[in-house]
Every structure is written in C-alpha cells, then in structure tokens.
Amino acid sequence: MHHAIWKPRRPVYLCDGATVVGHEEADGPLGACFDRHDPKDDTFGQPTWEKAEGEMLRQAAELLLARNGLGPEDVEALLAGDLLNQCTASGYGLLPFDIPYFGLYGACSTAAEGLILAALLADFTGGRAICAVSSHFCSAERQFRFPVEYGGQRTPTSQWTVTGAAAFLVSAAREDGMRRGRAVRIAEMLPGITSDRGVADANNMGAAMAPAALDTVLRYFSLSGRKPESFDMLLTGDLGSEGSSLLCEMARAEGLDISGVHRDCGLMIYDRERSDKHAGGSGCGCSAVVAAGHILPEMRAGRLADVLLVGTGALLSPQAVQQGRSIPGVAHLIRITAKEGD
Amino acid sequence: MHHAIWKPRRPVYLCDGATVVGHEEADGPLGACFDRHDPKDDTFGQPTWEKAEGEMLRQAAELLLARNGLGPEDVEALLAGDLLNQCTASGYGLLPFDIPYFGLYGACSTAAEGLILAALLADFTGGRAICAVSSHFCSAERQFRFPVEYGGQRTPTSQWTVTGAAAFLVSAAREDGMRRGRAVRIAEMLPGITSDRGVADANNMGAAMAPAALDTVLRYFSLSGRKPESFDMLLTGDLGSEGSSLLCEMARAEGLDISGVHRDCGLMIYDRERSDKHAGGSGCGCSAVVAAGHILPEMRAGRLADVLLVGTGALLSPQAVQQGRSIPGVAHLIRITAKEGD
C-alpha cells in the first residue's frame, strides 16, 4: 500500500454547492435543503429525459455562478460527468458555459472524483474550479434497465436513481461573500482503486460497490492512523441498505468498526417506507445533492466539523452485463473539514 | 479570455508510451512504430469486440509498466477512457492494475485530456501517473453507427476509428533508464472549451471538431504570444481531411496561418489511397498511438523539438443525434518539448 493520501499544498475550500432536484427528492426528508426542484413532472420543460437532465445540470451550474457573482472567465476549469452514454447531460447541458471542460466517467462516484480533481486544480492554479454532476431517474432507468413507461417490477435490492444535479465551487480562496458560517476545506483526498468481486446483478449495485468502498476506507484509516470515531460522519455515496450492511460487516471482519459513524446518502435522501424506494437512492446525483445541499450547510453552521465522503461508483454497463461480465466498483474518498489545522 | 495556459511548477516528463494496435494500423505508414499488434483478426483472443478492446488496453498498460520496471505501487494514478458506453474498455481492461483510477470521458480528445491531468498529478505528487486510452474499429462502429457485419456504405466524409491503445508514462523524474535520447517534457497545457456550431452529421466528425480546435489554437497563440512557425508541428488528433482543411481555412480567416506546421494524426496513420479510409483515422486511439509510437520517439531522437498536440473530440452520442441534436466538440492542447527552458 504505497499510494499516499493527498493533501493540498494550500488551503482549498469547498465554498458552495448549488442543487436542483426532482419532485421525489423535494418530497423527501432533505427536501428543504435543495435550492430548486421541478414541481411538476421532472421534465424541466424539456421534450426528452436526456434533455431534462442536461437542463437540470445547467440550472445548477448557472445558480452556482450567479449567487457567487462569478462569470465563466472567473473559473479555471469545469469537471463534469453523469451516467448517460457519452455523458450527454454534461456535454450538452454545460455547453453554455465557456469554461475549460474536463469530462469524467466515474459512474455514481463522479462527484467525489470530480471534487478531488477540482481541489487539485484549485491548488495548482490558485483559482477556482467547478465540479458538476447529475443523474435522472427516467433517463437512467431507460438506459440501464427498462423504460419507466414499461412499468417493470423492481427487486428488493434495487436502488432508485436520484433525479438531481449539483454544482460545487472549489477555490483556493474562501469566497465567503455570500454565505456566512465556518470555512469548509477539502483537506485530504484518497482516490479509489477499481475492484471486481464477481457481483453481476444489475439490480444490486450496493453489493458491487461495497468491496471498493471497503478497500478505500481500510486504506484511509491505515494510512492516516486516525480512528473512525474522530470523525462526525463517514458518508458513503449510494451503497443503499444492502451495500451499507455489507460494508459495515466486512469492515468489522477487518477489525474496523465504522458502524457508529457510517451514514449513506442513498439512505438519507428518501423516506423509504413512505415512498417505496427499496434499497435506497443511487446515481451521480445522490451523493452530490446530499453533500452540497445538506452536509455542506451543516458544516458551515457548525453542526458537523469533520466528514469523510466516500463516493461509490458501480461501473455498470448493460452491454457488459449482457456479455456475462460482473460489475467493477470504485470509491473515491475526500475529507471535508471545518476544523483548523491539517 | 482569462483562462491562462498552465505550466507545471516542476519539470514534468513524458517518459514513454506503449502502443498496441490492430492489423490495419500495423499495415499503415507508421506500422513499424507500434510496439505490438494483433496479426490476425483484431480480436486479441477475446470473444467480443468490447473485450478485445479492453485486452488491447490492458496489454499496453502492462507493456508500459514492464519495460519501465514499474509495479502498480510505483504509480500514483491511472487516468483512462475510451469511446464505449460507460467506458468499459478502460473500466474492465485496467482492472488488473491496483492503481488509483480516474475515469475520463473526452471522446477522441481523451489522450490529451488525460495527459493534462496526468501532468498535473505528476506535478502535485512528485511521482508518476499513467494515461491510458483506446478505441477499436469494430466496437465503435457497432455502437455509434452500424455493426461491421452489416456491411453499410460509408460516406466520403466519414472517418475510420483506429484500433489502437496507448499507455503513457508521465513523471516528475526523467525515468530515462530504459530509453536513450533527449528528455521530453509536457511544458504547457491549455484545456479546451466545448463548442457546438450545429454540425449534426455523425459521418462528418471532422467538421464537428474543427471549431473547437480553432478556439483552442487561437487562444493558445493569443495567450502565449508565440507564432506557429516556432513549432516543428501543430498536430491535431483526428480532424481528418475535412476537419483539417476547415481548421486551416478558418484559422487563416482569423489571420493565423498554420498550414506550414499543421499535421493531423488521422491523416498520418493510414495510407488512405491504398486502404480506402475516406477522410482518415479517428477515435481515442488515433492521436494516442501516433503521439506515443511516432512523435515521442522522433522527439527523443532529436528530429522534432517542439510540438503542439491538440487532442480533438466530438462528444457524439447516437441517442442525442436521433433526438435531433448537433454534436459538441472539444480540443485540449499540450505542448511537448525537448528544448531546455520554458
């Protein structure tokens, strides 16, 4: 295990996160945290689900720039990705912004992957970078499983792709003009290593991602020498109920008890009983809107001080699954802190 | 135009590039430059085209590590991408390497995008990063256009997706143990801004990418104050014959004459007369194998000293085109130099 934890050479701030979500997410327990939602049908006024997703992402980026008083020329780089083939929500949705563009494909881990790279770019340039990601239930279902109109039955382990987009502002300056509260930094980063333990069920993403999350979490605690209890939260992206129990159980078998601090964005975003969301939320948008809309404001307000965000991704491909392949997972970790010091 | 050219804070070397190609590429004018090829049928011993592409990419990465005497623990990050939905060639093909993984989607610009990020990571860590990309004619045709077995007619403006994979070693040290010759650095980087000028013909990628290439090239010469003639080559990735004439013509209209130094990887890799390749080569693999197999050795040998590589990408999506959308393009520039100084 030679791969070190990366620390920015100068303070790098997670300044703001703008969120736009669908009506199911706005109805959920975190509904009040999100900046904007489509009150009607999640089309965002567009004729196709793919265009709807791009429009949702565009609105998130536009909102972020507007409320921070920034123009495209003030941002050094835009790192973006989504779940659609050829990442079209990002490629098309972010066309209006004349900012140097880096397309990412990290499946549901894209927010964490993009935040790592945005932090490195803010560190390198001394300026600002935006990480913007999205997912949409209807575009994802039709691409990865069945069109929503088909009305297929869902298995108990299946997760619900979050309709949501977030745009994060990462900067080498505090940029605190607009928002009061504590300064929040990206203090550490540990990128994930892909792993494949043979899970081939496209309706059980949590199980496919849990081993990758375990690998990253074990490496982090081993390299840092810290203990889980020194954090307010170890927040995984979208393991859901299946993947979350697997992660905690496997970590325990390795002598690491994370059960006291572990939370999962996929288990926070919906009221699963009330809205029949099976194993919980998933998708690029899941960890992104929970981190941007809920965690960051909680940290600014002083209710959370030190959080590990582990963005989990299942590199699922319908074609690969049809060809009999199992599903690789990856998990990128960032430590977000409002504490002084390292 | 506030977006600056990025220069690494310490020397960052482009140390080596390993290449694996198909039989058409091995038969072309640069055939002798490539490290390895499938002499038979481009399946690389695999039962599907997608697996073949992943295996080709795996071989390139393995070859790169082996001949530089490196193990996965010696490399800080692996940046990879390809043209397949969910980037499965990279996601699956590179599973054997336990190196922190960043998935990219930049279409045919992925090599240049990955080299920019690899250079930043080498600069940041003081260590090594690998950028690995691939494309395969048969997997790309079936995904983006028609299965090869269908035998569809090709339009005169259509390009031929290169079957090829390259893995680049980027490092903060010279790593010259294996290969003699001049040290080659990544001295400058200018990431591209996406643009869409309304080209909606999936068989004319060159026209879709030329405006993005123009934007990056104009910005580079304006920001750097340099002239085209101070470079040995301004090498675009895969504009082909259509896109190349468009780029030179549009640049001339802007008062910039690049015709003396402009070359295009897509026009170098095949003998278009002999092998009926229409507008030339394209795909992630095109600029990657030409840069790794031909340009880098020429620079080491002292026959080229200062080259601008402009990786061009068309963010084409069959679904988006079916929905009546045009094709955004992007072009990332890196300056590769064997000269001393900046």
Side-chain angles (χ1 to χ4, degrees):
Chain A
M1 293 208 302
H2 292 266
H3 299 114
I5 294 168
W6 297 344
K7 299 183 191 198
R9 277 163 297 199
R10 55 174 118 206
V12 167
Y13 298 95
L14 184 54
C15 303
D16 194 11
T19 50
V20 182
V21 300
H23 69 278
E24 295 260 13
E25 293 70 23
D27 277 354
L30 302 180
C33 305
F34 305 124
D35 291 313
R36 194 183 288 177
H37 72 280
D38 185 320
K40 215 174 49 174
D41 54 10
D42 294 0
T43 61
F44 294 88
Q46 300 296 314
T48 72
W49 295 123
E50 292 73 22
K51 287 186 180 178
E53 184 176 341
E55 170 61 14
M56 181 173 67
L57 185 58
R58 187 197 67 73
Q59 288 189 18
E62 185 184 59
L63 188 57
L64 183 79
L65 288 170
R67 77 177 174 202
N68 288 281
L70 300 174
E73 68 282 3
D74 300 317
V75 182
E76 304 299 327
L78 176 53
L79 301 118
D82 56 83
L83 294 174
L84 298 182
N85 294 343
Q86 293 84 46
C87 298
T88 52
S90 313
Y92 287 88
L94 300 172
L95 266 173
F97 307 101
D98 285 344
I99 304 173
Y101 179 86
F102 291 87
L104 306 180
Y105 184 75
C108 307
S109 74
T110 306
E113 178 186 353
L115 284 171
I116 291 177
L117 294 172
L120 291 175
L121 281 166
D123 180 72
F124 175 77
T125 63
R128 303 178 191 90
I130 288 177
C131 163
V133 306
S134 67
S135 56
H136 194 298
F137 177 71
C138 298
S139 60
E141 282 301 299
R142 113 158 141 195
Q143 179 180 284
F144 287 105
R145 283 162 290 263
F146 302 104
V148 172
E149 296 82 353
Y150 172 77
Q153 285 282 339
R154 301 169 63 77
T155 68
T157 56
S158 71
Q159 292 177 241
W160 188 275
T161 304
V162 166
T163 298
F168 295 90
L169 178 62
V170 178
S171 175
R174 284 187 54 162
E175 311 272 347
D176 271 359
M178 206 218 67
R179 306 210 132 194
R180 302 285 166 213
R182 302 181 71 182
V184 176
R185 291 179 298 118
I186 297 178
E188 295 182 315
M189 303 165 272
L190 186 65
I193 294 174
T194 52
S195 76
D196 186 341
R197 300 286 178 87
V199 174
D201 180 356
N203 292 305
N204 194 351
M205 300 280 92
M209 294 186 284
L214 178 71
D215 176 71
T216 301
V217 166
L218 290 178
R219 287 195 295 128
Y220 177 78
F221 286 110
S222 160
L223 289 166
S224 69
R226 296 178 199 263
K227 305 269 172 228
E229 47 274 24
S230 59
F231 295 94
D232 296 308
M233 202 183 275
L234 190 171
L235 182 65
T236 49
D238 58 347
L239 291 178
S241 53
E242 286 292 305
S244 291
S245 354
L246 282 170
L247 173 63
C248 291
E249 216 169 289
M250 292 190 297
R252 198 174 303 119
E254 300 281 345
L256 186 76
D257 184 3
I258 58 168
S259 57
V261 290
H262 176 256
R263 300 288 300 275
D264 185 71
C265 299
L267 294 174
M268 295 163 74
I269 193 164
Y270 301 119
D271 179 336
R272 291 193 295 144
E273 289 300 309
R274 189 169 67 87
S275 69
D276 196 25
K277 290 295 183 291
H278 297 71
S282 69
C284 294
C286 182
S287 60
V289 300
V290 172
H294 175 59
I295 301 298
L296 184 54
E298 289 288 295
M299 296 186 79
R300 290 204 159 269
R303 287 187 291 271
L304 291 171
D306 213 349
V307 171
L308 296 177
L309 173 64
V310 182
T312 38
L315 304 172
L316 166 69
S317 156
Q319 189 180 42
V321 169
Q322 284 158 11
Q323 292 178 356
R325 310 191 82 168
S326 48
I327 302 166
V330 69
H332 299 290
L333 179 147
I334 57 173
R335 178 177 160 225
I336 311 173
T337 189
K339 289 185 176 167
E340 302 286 328
D342 69 340
Chain B
M1 292 206 303
H2 292 264
H3 299 115
I5 294 168
W6 296 344
K7 300 183 192 198
R9 277 162 296 199
R10 57 173 117 206
V12 167
Y13 299 95
L14 183 54
C15 304
D16 194 11
T19 50
V20 182
V21 300
H23 70 278
E24 295 260 14
E25 292 71 23
D27 278 353
L30 302 180
C33 305
F34 304 125
D35 290 314
R36 195 183 286 176
H37 72 280
D38 185 320
K40 216 172 52 176
D41 54 10
D42 294 359
T43 62
F44 294 89
Q46 300 296 315
T48 72
W49 295 125
E50 292 73 22
K51 287 187 181 178
E53 184 176 341
E55 169 61 14
M56 180 173 68
L57 185 57
R58 189 197 66 73
Q59 288 189 18
E62 185 184 59
L63 188 58
L64 183 79
L65 288 170
R67 78 178 174 201
N68 287 282
L70 300 174
E73 68 281 3
D74 301 316
V75 181
E76 304 300 327
L78 175 54
L79 301 118
D82 57 84
L83 294 173
L84 298 181
N85 294 344
Q86 292 84 46
C87 299
T88 50
S90 313
Y92 287 87
L94 300 173
L95 265 173
F97 307 102
D98 285 344
I99 305 173
Y101 179 86
F102 291 88
L104 307 179
Y105 185 74
C108 307
S109 73
T110 306
E113 178 186 353
L115 285 171
I116 291 176
L117 294 172
L120 291 174
L121 281 166
D123 181 71
F124 175 78
T125 63
R128 303 177 190 90
I130 288 176
C131 163
V133 306
S134 67
S135 56
H136 194 298
F137 177 71
C138 298
S139 59
E141 282 301 300
R142 111 157 141 195
Q143 179 181 283
F144 286 104
R145 283 164 289 263
F146 302 105
V148 173
E149 296 82 352
Y150 172 76
Q153 285 282 337
R154 301 169 64 76
T155 68
T157 55
S158 71
Q159 293 177 240
W160 187 275
T161 304
V162 166
T163 299
F168 294 90
L169 178 62
V170 178
S171 174
R174 284 187 55 161
E175 311 271 346
D176 271 358
M178 204 216 69
R179 307 208 130 194
R180 301 287 165 211
R182 300 181 71 182
V184 175
R185 290 179 299 118
I186 297 177
E188 294 182 315
M189 303 165 273
L190 186 65
I193 294 173
T194 52
S195 76
D196 186 340
R197 302 287 179 86
V199 174
D201 180 357
N203 292 304
N204 193 353
M205 299 280 91
M209 295 186 284
L214 178 71
D215 175 70
T216 301
V217 166
L218 289 177
R219 286 194 296 129
Y220 177 77
F221 287 110
S222 160
L223 290 165
S224 69
R226 297 179 198 263
K227 304 270 172 227
E229 47 273 25
S230 59
F231 295 95
D232 296 308
M233 202 182 275
L234 190 170
L235 182 66
T236 49
D238 58 346
L239 292 178
S241 54
E242 287 292 304
S244 291
S245 358
L246 282 170
L247 173 63
C248 290
E249 216 169 288
M250 291 190 297
R252 198 175 303 120
E254 299 282 345
L256 186 76
D257 183 3
I258 58 168
S259 57
V261 290
H262 176 256
R263 301 288 300 276
D264 185 72
C265 299
L267 295 174
M268 295 163 74
I269 193 166
Y270 300 119
D271 179 336
R272 290 192 299 143
E273 289 298 311
R274 188 167 70 85
S275 69
D276 196 25
K277 290 296 184 292
H278 297 71
S282 69
C284 294
C286 182
S287 59
V289 300
V290 172
H294 174 58
I295 301 298
L296 185 54
E298 289 288 296
M299 297 187 79
R300 292 204 156 268
R303 285 187 293 270
L304 291 171
D306 213 349
V307 171
L308 297 177
L309 173 65
V310 182
T312 39
L315 304 173
L316 165 69
S317 156
Q319 190 180 42
V321 169
Q322 284 159 10
Q323 291 178 357
R325 311 192 82 167
S326 49
I327 302 166
V330 69
H332 299 289
L333 178 148
I334 56 173
R335 177 177 161 223
I336 311 172
T337 190
K339 288 184 174 165
E340 303 286 328
D342 69 342

